[in-house]
Amino acid sequence: MRQRVRGAARRRVTAIAAVGVMLAAGLAAASAPAQAAEENLIVNGGFEAGVANWFVNNGNSTDGATLSATSDAYAGSGAALVTGRATTGSGPMQDLSGKVQAGQTYALTARIKYENAAGPATKQFFATMHYGGSTYTNLVSVTATKGQWAQFNGTFTIPASQNVSTARIFFETPWTSTPSSDPALHLMDFTLDDVSVIGAPPPPPPSRTIEVVGKLPGEHNPLIGHKFGADGFGFVHGGRVYLYLTNDTQGYAPDPVTGISPSINYGNINQITLISSEDLVNWTDHGEIQVAGPNGVAPFTGNSWAPGMAKKMVNGKEKFFLYYANGGGSSNVITGESPLGPWTSERTSTLINGSTPGAEDVAWKFDPAPLVDDDGQAYLYFGGGPASTSMPAAERFNNPKNIRAIRLGDDMVSTQGSAVVVDTPVSFEAAQVFKRQGKYYLSYSSHFGGADFGGNQTPLPGYPGGGQIGYLISDDPMSWPKETYAGVLFPNQSQFFGAGTGGNNHQSVFEFGGRYYFTYHAPTLNKRINGNTTQGYRSPHIQELTFNPDGTIQQVVGTYAGVDQVRDFDPYRVFEAETFGWSKGIATAKVDGGSAQFGTSAPNLAVRDIDNGDWTALSSVDFGTAGAASVTAKVRALAAGGRIQVRLDDVAGPVVGTVEVDSPVGEWAEVTAALQGVSGVHDVYFTYAGPTGTDLFELDSWKFAAATAQPELPVTASAQTRCVGGRAYVAVQATNGHTTPVDITLETAYGTRTVTNVAPGANAYQSFTTRATSVAAGTATIRATGTIDGTTVTTEVTANHSAQSCGG
């Protein structure tokens, strides 16, 4: 500690000299360089709110003092009094992290006074910045006369190279290593008032909204274009596919100028992202599950990577279990009441860790993937990382034995017995098992070689290359010898998506609607944002999985096209606005209350950061033959003049309705617009318009109303052909089955006749000559017009006639 304090003191001396030069040149606050849009960065600098926002400097463990409010103020009604100082640095401190910027100049003023009877006649005081660790910089100093208020008045410039992620300003007396030897000289009480630091305000936090179109209209991969997600685990329940993802977006912070984010930091990820779909193209964003960390469901864990999901009846109740990696050292599980939660932790310690029997030699006890078999027995597959150094080099490369399988208890939150070795060739991590036609399939990702896997080795013939997905087939979920290896399921994704998309992968397989699907990730959205330079932010993808007659898997080809939409989208219900197939420039965030579509216990999200020119779109919406009459949006207006244009089949397609967002600003409301010409199956684009440079509104949900089906008149018709005098005729008859008279028009290719006021039960008849000796088969059209409940209605029916030859 002494060396650290001494190092800090030496840094201070250099800074004092620089500040002294500025003061000698007369650089007072009044003559300081003007800063654009300057503001006071200090909160409660006049201490009118007591000592709120202030605390005693605690940069060293030896620091300590008592900070209290006093009415002995230079101005106003309050000031801060510091007493009982343990070190020279023990003084009032305020956190300016995120407020000050490197390279910026600030003007500092403050008032300070000391009155200690035994103190010296004058005393120097410093305003000092602590940038973390042992980095302290004295900013401005003043020499005060005992019993009189003195004024700090100067400027300071933060070096352009200074890291300001931590920046805390405090007031102190000159440093000495042994202040207790003369406390009257070094540790006097003092009073502080009217503190200000004037300068450029902090820059706004970088926007995480992805402004580019990352999922192109018509393409189905990546699954979403407004956020990232990796390690997708597909889970089917209630006719929907739920995809649980590592929340790569959590660390995404693009530079406001370049648009490029620092590389992903896996150590900060403690949330799971959840999306779901009923058609595999339109995906609903359910937001993030705060799994780990101090505010997480399981606060005894720090990370949440590579989720796995299962459900099981436990004690007569259906429960859902979300497994996740707590970093590389352990794995855990939380329990949900539905696939969307709410979530609780039944455990107070991790499920898989160093004490798990049979996992002692596994370097990375992570990537937990559950399987509940047909008989109810559940299993967990986990592990990965460097092979044991006790193995021969060639074996470390080809058969590292770093994956494990273990039985789960009936409660799904405990294990049974000892884990067994899964002998996956060239394996790295990401084991997952599914069952098909009585066979078990285990897929995994392969390693890239290197010192952790025996150095420069040659893989055995047929074994995976680096960063590929291999698989095994077994008759037993707990038996995976190397002889069950079946080949490569998926090559490295860079083979399909090009430069910048390589690296490791993580997959799952699920069955939906009688077909099997393969999930994987690739930084394709990251690539579309930044070109071929990516920073490791991954996006979920799905391809269909097909099998050979012998049960082996046909190698998957990664495409932007993705999978086919398995069913048309139903618009005639309330559905979440954060459901879309494609989007541009929007973001999502949780809002208060439950979901209108998924229930009060499900999280509710809204689409936000909606600017002029942004849009969202739904794929293959089926409006039926009657079509839609109107659309209603639940919105919260943020500015006047916003509107939503409904278009068909293209972002620049015809506008079939315009929703005026004319509800009160700041309040949630429903707004409705009539629609014209909306029937059949279409892609639907919601394009957002309004004043530029401001967020327009937030969107919570949509609902379409179907057009009322027009009543039909009960008219029956028939058409026949006959021969008269060697000529062919088409005879058409229609009967009015209505209770009031109707007008009937009979139309053929050979003429048209209208009969008015056809009485109830009466007929309209016409025989049309073809003027030919023969007639081909054809159709007659009959239109009846009458009134039903006072409304004029036209009903059209058709009648087919056969061919006829009247030749000799």
Side-chain angles (χ1 to χ4, degrees):
M1 183 57 68
R2 273 188 175 183
Q3 292 176 346
R4 179 181 178 188
V5 173
R6 285 178 178 174
R10 285 196 293 272
R11 289 190 177 95
R12 292 180 185 180
V13 170
T14 303
I16 291 167
V19 172
V21 170
M22 288 195 294
L23 293 176
L27 293 178
S31 60
Q35 301 293 321
E38 292 180 341
E39 65 179 40
N40 187 1
L41 306 183
I42 295 291
V43 179
N44 190 30
F47 300 97
E48 302 306 307
V51 293
N53 302 102
W54 294 88
F55 53 95
V56 175
N57 176 22
N58 55 8
N60 291 308
S61 60
T62 54
D63 291 334
T66 299
L67 187 64
S68 60
T70 177
S71 60
D72 181 17
Y74 175 80
S77 61
L81 174 65
V82 58
T83 59
R85 298 167 62 229
T87 64
T88 58
S90 299
M93 171 177 271
Q94 187 165 133
D95 193 349
L96 296 183
S97 301
K99 293 186 175 183
V100 294
Q101 307 173 57
Q104 292 288 323
T105 297
Y106 299 90
L108 183 150
T109 60
R111 299 284 180 167
I112 199 162
K113 181 178 72 169
Y114 73 102
E115 296 181 306
N116 304 61
T122 60
K123 183 65 178 179
Q124 188 180 32
F125 290 85
F126 290 108
T128 301
M129 192 79 82
H130 184 197
Y131 292 111
S134 61
T135 305
Y136 294 80
T137 300
N138 298 120
L139 306 175
V140 178
S141 72
V142 68
T143 298
T145 299
K146 183 165 58 175
Q148 299 179 17
W149 285 99
Q151 183 181 24
F152 289 93
N153 197 348
T155 62
F156 64 92
T157 300
I158 300 178
S161 60
Q162 177 63 57
N163 185 335
V164 292
S165 59
T166 299
R168 308 195 304 171
I169 192 171
F170 67 100
F171 293 83
E172 62 172 344
T173 52
W175 178 83
T176 180
S177 61
T178 57
S180 59
S181 64
D182 192 349
L185 177 62
H186 301 297
L187 299 176
M188 69 279 291
D189 301 343
F190 63 84
T191 305
L192 185 69
D193 200 4
D194 289 355
V195 183
S196 70
V197 173
I198 307 294
S207 172
R208 296 187 179 188
T209 301
I210 297 168
E211 299 293 345
V212 305
V213 181
K215 180 183 181 183
L216 302 183
E219 294 181 348
H220 300 163
N221 277 331
L223 304 184
I224 50 177
H226 70 292
K227 61 170 58 175
F228 303 98
D231 309 322
F233 191 97
F235 173 75
V236 177
H237 178 76
R240 295 186 74 87
V241 174
Y242 295 84
L243 198 65
Y244 299 82
L245 303 158
T246 302
N247 180 20
D248 276 18
T249 311
Q250 194 166 358
Y252 182 66
D255 183 274
V257 176
T258 66
I260 297 175
S261 173
S263 293
I264 190 169
N265 184 347
Y266 301 107
N268 292 339
I269 299 176
N270 57 21
Q271 299 173 339
I272 296 297
T273 296
L274 175 56
I275 60 175
S276 75
S277 178
E278 58 194 3
D279 58 33
L280 301 183
V281 174
N282 296 297
W283 290 88
T284 301
D285 183 357
H286 299 287
E288 280 65 49
I289 305 167
Q290 186 62 59
V291 176
N295 300 316
V297 179
F300 54 90
T301 59
N303 293 115
S304 56
W305 308 339
M309 184 67 181
K311 66 178 177 181
K312 186 181 176 184
M313 295 293 294
V314 178
N315 297 325
K317 181 180 179 181
E318 187 175 55
K319 300 173 73 173
F320 299 82
F321 302 91
L322 178 57
Y323 300 81
Y324 64 96
N326 177 38
S330 61
S331 295
N332 197 48
V333 58
I334 58 176
T335 305
E337 297 180 16
S338 78
L340 300 175
W343 304 95
T344 58
S345 177
E346 298 183 36
R347 298 187 57 87
T348 57
S349 61
T350 52
L351 173 65
I352 302 293
N353 51 48
S355 64
T356 301
E360 297 83 359
D361 292 335
V362 177
W364 298 342
K365 299 172 179 63
F366 71 169
D367 289 2
L371 169 71
V372 179
D373 209 346
D374 300 334
D375 60 1
Q377 175 62 56
Y379 306 87
L380 193 69
Y381 304 87
F382 67 92
S388 172
T389 56
S390 64
M391 299 164 59
E395 186 178 4
R396 291 178 68 195
F397 185 97
N398 285 290
N399 296 95
K401 298 178 176 62
N402 51 3
I403 305 295
R404 295 292 183 272
I406 195 168
R407 287 182 173 86
L408 289 169
D410 291 339
D411 59 6
M412 298 290 284
V413 298
S414 63
T415 61
Q416 292 181 337
S418 181
V420 299
V421 172
V422 177
D423 197 357
T424 38
V426 197
S427 62
F428 192 38
E429 57 188 29
Q432 191 258 343
V433 175
F434 69 96
K435 188 177 183 180
R436 175 182 179 269
Q437 297 181 359
K439 299 287 186 180
Y440 300 89
Y441 293 74
L442 184 146
S443 59
Y444 65 96
S445 66
S446 60
H447 66 70
F448 293 88
D452 287 340
F453 294 93
N456 186 19
Q457 301 293 322
T458 301
L460 293 175
Y463 275 16
Q468 299 184 337
I469 304 298
Y471 74 106
L472 289 68
I473 305 176
S474 176
D475 295 323
D476 185 339
M478 290 288 286
S479 177
W480 302 96
K482 62 185 178 182
E483 289 77 17
T484 60
Y485 174 72
V488 171
L489 188 162
F490 185 65
N492 189 266
Q493 61 276 6
S494 61
Q495 177 175 323
F496 309 112
F497 302 110
T501 65
N504 196 34
N505 216 317
H506 194 120
Q507 77 301 326
S508 78
V509 175
F510 64 88
E511 183 183 2
F512 185 55
R515 296 181 177 181
Y516 287 84
Y517 296 92
F518 172 77
T519 74
Y520 62 102
H521 62 233
T524 47
L525 175 58
N526 195 179
K527 180 174 180 175
R528 279 176 167 163
I529 295 170
N530 300 137
N532 287 339
T533 301
T534 58
Q535 295 78 46
Y537 295 94
R538 302 157 295 178
S539 293
H541 297 64
I542 293 179
Q543 308 289 164
E544 188 172 352
L545 200 66
T546 55
F547 297 83
N548 297 309
D550 63 357
T552 57
I553 300 173
Q554 295 182 12
Q555 194 169 106
V556 175
V557 174
T559 66
Y560 282 109
V563 299
D564 292 337
Q565 187 166 334
V566 298
R567 62 175 59 87
D568 292 332
F569 189 86
D570 175 14
Y572 297 124
R573 53 181 171 160
V574 177
F575 61 94
E576 298 298 334
E578 59 275 12
T579 301
F580 31 73
W582 307 284
S583 64
K584 175 188 177 295
I586 56 87
T588 59
K590 287 185 178 179
V591 293
D592 292 339
S595 166
Q597 180 179 357
F598 297 96
T600 56
S601 62
N604 188 32
L605 272 70
V607 180
R608 57 175 296 274
D609 200 10
I610 298 174
D611 304 310
N612 182 57
D614 291 342
W615 52 266
T616 57
L618 292 164
S619 174
S620 295
V621 181
D622 186 1
F623 293 104
T625 55
S630 66
V631 61
T632 297
K634 184 178 180 182
V635 301
R636 187 167 76 95
L638 301 177
R643 60 191 182 277
I644 304 167
Q645 297 165 320
V646 184
R647 302 172 186 264
L648 299 183
D649 300 320
D650 189 88
V651 71
V655 176
V656 295
T658 298
V659 182
E660 299 291 345
V661 184
D662 52 8
S663 52
V665 172
E667 298 180 13
W668 285 103
E670 290 191 344
V671 289
T672 301
L675 300 175
Q676 297 293 329
V678 180
S679 63
V681 178
H682 297 275
D683 295 340
V684 177
Y685 287 79
F686 303 103
T687 59
Y688 307 121
T692 58
T694 185
D695 288 350
L696 301 177
F697 40 78
E698 295 177 345
L699 277 166
D700 188 15
S701 63
W702 299 106
K703 61 181 176 181
F704 285 84
T708 303
Q710 186 179 32
E712 294 187 350
L713 295 166
V715 176
T716 57
S718 63
Q720 297 177 334
T721 56
R722 58 182 181 152
C723 297
V724 178
R727 299 296 182 184
Y729 285 75
V730 175
V732 182
Q733 178 176 297
T735 302
N736 176 17
H738 192 37
T739 57
T740 60
V742 299
D743 297 340
I744 297 178
T745 297
L746 311 173
E747 180 180 321
T748 69
Y750 311 104
T752 300
R753 184 191 177 194
T754 298
V755 182
T756 60
N757 291 314
V758 179
N763 299 319
Y765 175 84
Q766 180 65 41
S767 180
F768 298 95
T769 179
T770 66
R771 303 183 185 278
T773 58
S774 63
V775 62
T779 300
T781 300
I782 298 90
R783 297 182 187 87
T785 300
T787 59
I788 299 178
D789 296 329
T791 301
T792 301
V793 175
T794 297
T795 299
E796 180 179 292
V797 297
T798 58
N800 297 325
H801 61 79
S802 61
Q804 180 74 47
S805 176
C806 300

